[in-house]
């Protein structure tokens, strides 16, 4: 019996063991088909281009594939819009082209190993810039000026905008001989078209190279905008609208048409002219005079304040007077058009008077532009002198021009007797607001001064008045509307212009270097007596100064 028991027990144990061995790996079955993921990209950043996008995939930036190690990853796969792009290497960025439809594209990008196991994808949604968006933007249209046979297209303001950045343009048109004329322009473009048909419709094809912007940011690509300019040419009898009719009238012109100006061979412009645009309408000019010639006089300005009534300016142009501010290039280019195309033989110009010297350089060298020689020095006449009281009561001063008696001296001109009446006593020379001093040519202010005896400066307060304080500005503070450039004041140091005791009671020469005036729009010279000391103006006897020979000099 025992043997039988052991036999069946053994059979039972073997059965149990066999059953146990059969299921020992059953718990691994669910994992037998698990994917092995290759390394994934660590970032995804997209950039918009024209009908394309660029997507960066590594924080390390754009590096070559042979420098990228991502485990077993061997390929890059891009999925979007039911398309699949496979790149046979691991890359740090991708360029997806052919995105011609303006819509939201969802991009899924991942790596694959040699067994096509996929990494965890990176995803991004982008809308490319397409023809649809491009058709909604435009560069500002040019200003078009046309005479019977010529036309000018120019752009008077910045061509870039919140929608695009402008880079350059190309253009073409066909002239009246059937010849196709072409050209390219970059910054500040200007197109001069000649030999056109009077009275005909003209088309100038203009292609702009621009970079569009999305939400204020430029896209990746430069694109071309085609914007033809179509206009009608005038006839010889067509009237034009001059920019400065008073200038043309002063030149004897009464009819503003090509026929009306066809006999004009010379034009004169004043120094204060704002634009040379009207040159465009003159086809038979030989000479242009930009000095004012014998036709124009200086502008004037009038004051009536604090019992001071005066009119300053007028008369002939003085050599140290120039236009206030440089003439904008766009207004001066009409002269350059004539010079470039040999349509004028001679131009007279005072250096720096209009601030267009940089445009004239090559024509000065070729002799087409004659630089007018100005004297080494020129006096400041009384027609610019005004009592400082017009500014404020504490600028009070007693002034007398060419007094009946004055200290003797040599070659004295334009003598001024000045008696300070308050702590800020001053007088000024003021140019009308159309002008400024030409400091690039006239570099120094010089004058003679005769101060009284030492006894006149007795006392702490009075001692301050043994000095002068030259000041330079765009306007007196009481007249702030006179300058479009704000106040560009610069002061000298009063103690640098103290009159030594040894030079009292004799004519003493003073000089002020005007280097600080360059680049400013100074039109006012103030001569303050005393340097504005603090305290009450009380002196034992009048302090009587004499001045003479106020002048601007080149050296």
């Amino acid at each position: 019996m025992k043997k039988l028991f052991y036999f069946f027990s053994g059979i039972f144990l073997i059965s149990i063991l066999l059953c146990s061995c059969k299921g020992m790996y059953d718990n691994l079955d669910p994992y037998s088909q698990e994917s092995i993921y290759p390394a994934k990209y660590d970032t995804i950043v997209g950039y918009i281009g024209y009908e394309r996008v660029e997507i960066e995939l590594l924080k390390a930036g754009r590096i070559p594939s042979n420098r990228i190690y991502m485990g077993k990853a061997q390929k890059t796969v891009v999925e979007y819009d039911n398309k699949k792009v496979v790149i046979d290497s691991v890359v740090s960025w991708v360029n997806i082209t052919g995105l011609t439809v303006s819509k939201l594209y969802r991009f899924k990008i991942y790596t694959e190993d040699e067994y096509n196991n996929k990494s965890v994808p990176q995803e991004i949604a982008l809308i490319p810039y397409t023809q649809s968006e491009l058709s909604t933007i435009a560069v500002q249209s040019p200003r078009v000026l046309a005479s019977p046979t010529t036309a000018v297209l120019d752009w008077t303001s910045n061509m870039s905008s919140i929608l695009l950045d402008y880079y350059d343009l190309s253009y073409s048109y066909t002239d009246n001989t059937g010849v196709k004329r072409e050209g390219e322009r970059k910054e500040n473009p200007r197109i001069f078209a000649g030999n056109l048909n009077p009275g005909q419709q003209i088309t100038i094809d203009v292609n702009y190279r621009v970079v569009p912007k999305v939400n204020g940011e430029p896209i990746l690509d430069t694109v071309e905008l085609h914007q033809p300019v179509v206009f009608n040419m005038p006839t010889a009898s067509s009237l034009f609208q001059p920019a400065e009719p008073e200038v043309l009238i002063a030149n004897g012109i009464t009819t503003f048409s090509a026929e009306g100006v066809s006999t004009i061979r010379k034009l004169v412009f004043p120094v204060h002219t704002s634009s040379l645009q009207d040159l465009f309408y003159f086809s038979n000019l030989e000479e242009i005079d930009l000095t004012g010639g014998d036709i124009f006089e200086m502008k004037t300005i009038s004051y009536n304040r604090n019992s001071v009534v005066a009119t300053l300016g007028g008369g002939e142009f003085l050599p140290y007077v120039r236009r206030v501010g440089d003439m904008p290039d766009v207004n001066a280019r009409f002269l350059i058009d004539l010079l470039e195309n040999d349509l004028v033989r001679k131009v007279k110009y005072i250096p720096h008077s209009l601030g267009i010297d940089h445009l004239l350089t090559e024509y000065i060298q070729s002799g087409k532009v004659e630089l007018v020689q100005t004297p080494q020095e020129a006096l400041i006449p009384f027609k610019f002198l005004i009592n400082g009281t017009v500014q404020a009561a504490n600028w009070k001063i007693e002034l007398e021009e060419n007094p009946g008696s004055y200290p003797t001296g040599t070659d004295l001109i334009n003598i001024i007797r000045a008696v300070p009446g308050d702590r800020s006593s001053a007088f000024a020379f003021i140019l009308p607001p159309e002008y400024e001093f030409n400091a690039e040519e006239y570099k120094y202010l010089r004058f003679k001064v005769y101060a009284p005896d030492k006894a006149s400066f007795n006392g702490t307060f009075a001692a301050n008045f043994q000095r002068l304080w030259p000041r330079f500005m765009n306007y007196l503070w009481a007249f702030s509307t006179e300058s479009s450039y704000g106040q560009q004041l610069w002061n000298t140091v009063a103690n640098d212009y103290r009159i030594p005791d040894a030079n009292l009671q004799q004519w003493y020469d003073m000089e002020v270097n005007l280097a600080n005036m360059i680049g400013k729009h100074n039109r006012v010279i103030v001569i303050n007596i005393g340097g504005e000391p603090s305290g009450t103006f009380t002196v034992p006897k009048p302090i009587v100064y004499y001045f003479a020979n106020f002048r601007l000099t080149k050296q």
Side-chain angles (χ1 to χ4, degrees), residues 47-52 127-139 159-167 208-227:
Y47 301 95
I48 295 170
Y50 181 70
E51 296 185 348
R52 71 184 186 98
I127 302 174
Y129 198 93
T130 67
Q131 180 61 39
S132 177
E133 289 79 19
L134 187 61
S135 64
T136 65
I137 65 172
V139 177
M159 297 171 68
S160 296
S161 68
I162 60 172
L163 298 178
L164 58 85
D165 285 329
Y166 162 83
Y167 281 90
Y208 303 89
R209 282 203 325 130
V210 303
V211 175
K213 295 179 182 178
V214 175
N215 297 325
E217 293 296 322
I219 69 169
L220 297 172
D221 301 312
T222 300
V223 300
E224 192 171 89
L225 277 177
H226 179 229
Q227 290 180 209

Side-chain angles (χ1 to χ4, degrees), residues 246-464:
E246 67 280 1
V247 172
L248 300 189
I249 292 171
N251 278 271
I253 297 163
T254 57
T255 303
F256 300 140
S257 69
E259 286 179 339
V261 302
S262 61
T263 61
I264 302 299
R265 299 290 183 267
K266 178 181 177 180
L267 277 180
V268 179
F269 287 83
V271 170
H272 54 257
T273 191
S274 61
S275 173
L276 299 176
Q277 173 184 317
D278 293 334
L279 288 173
F280 172 74
Y281 302 106
F282 292 78
S283 57
N284 297 310
L285 281 178
E286 296 178 356
E287 182 179 347
I288 300 168
D289 185 345
L290 301 177
T291 71
D294 297 326
I295 297 179
F296 295 96
E297 293 188 340
M298 290 186 63
K299 296 281 190 176
T300 61
I301 185 170
S302 296
Y303 293 93
N304 186 346
R305 189 172 185 271
N306 293 343
S307 300
V308 176
V309 179
T311 296
L312 307 183
E316 64 178 353
F317 285 95
L318 297 175
Y320 49 75
V321 171
R322 56 152 290 170
R323 181 187 192 276
V324 63
D326 295 342
M327 178 180 287
D329 284 3
V330 69
N331 291 349
R333 284 290 310 183
F334 297 94
L335 172 61
I336 307 306
D337 290 336
L338 299 183
L339 290 168
E340 282 181 344
N341 292 278
D342 292 322
L343 298 177
V344 65
R345 291 192 295 181
K346 181 180 180 181
V347 177
K348 295 177 66 175
Y349 178 70
I350 299 171
H352 303 105
S353 59
L354 300 183
I356 60 174
D357 303 64
H358 61 292
L359 296 177
L360 299 177
T361 300
E362 66 176 281
Y363 305 105
I364 294 170
Q365 295 171 349
S366 68
K368 287 185 178 180
V369 174
E370 173 194 338
L371 294 182
V372 176
Q373 297 300 310
T374 51
Q376 287 298 306
E377 66 176 32
L379 291 167
I380 305 178
F382 287 146
K383 67 179 182 180
F384 296 122
L385 176 65
I386 194 167
N387 190 306
T389 310
V390 73
Q391 159 60 30
N394 64 3
W395 284 39
K396 180 181 178 182
I397 193 168
E398 178 187 320
L399 285 185
E400 185 179 358
E401 299 172 3
N402 285 330
S405 62
Y406 52 84
T408 58
T410 303
D411 298 325
L412 301 178
I413 306 173
N414 293 345
I415 301 162
I416 301 169
R417 180 179 183 272
V419 183
D422 211 323
R423 58 178 295 273
S424 299
S425 294
F427 58 90
F429 296 100
I430 302 178
L431 300 179
E434 290 83 4
Y435 313 102
E436 64 185 73
F437 291 104
N438 190 347
E440 289 180 280
E441 287 293 304
Y442 288 86
K443 299 177 173 60
Y444 299 93
L445 169 68
R446 290 192 172 98
F447 58 92
K448 291 180 177 292
V449 59
Y450 186 101
D453 59 1
K454 185 65 177 179
S456 299
F457 302 106
N458 284 339
T460 302
F461 184 83
N464 290 292

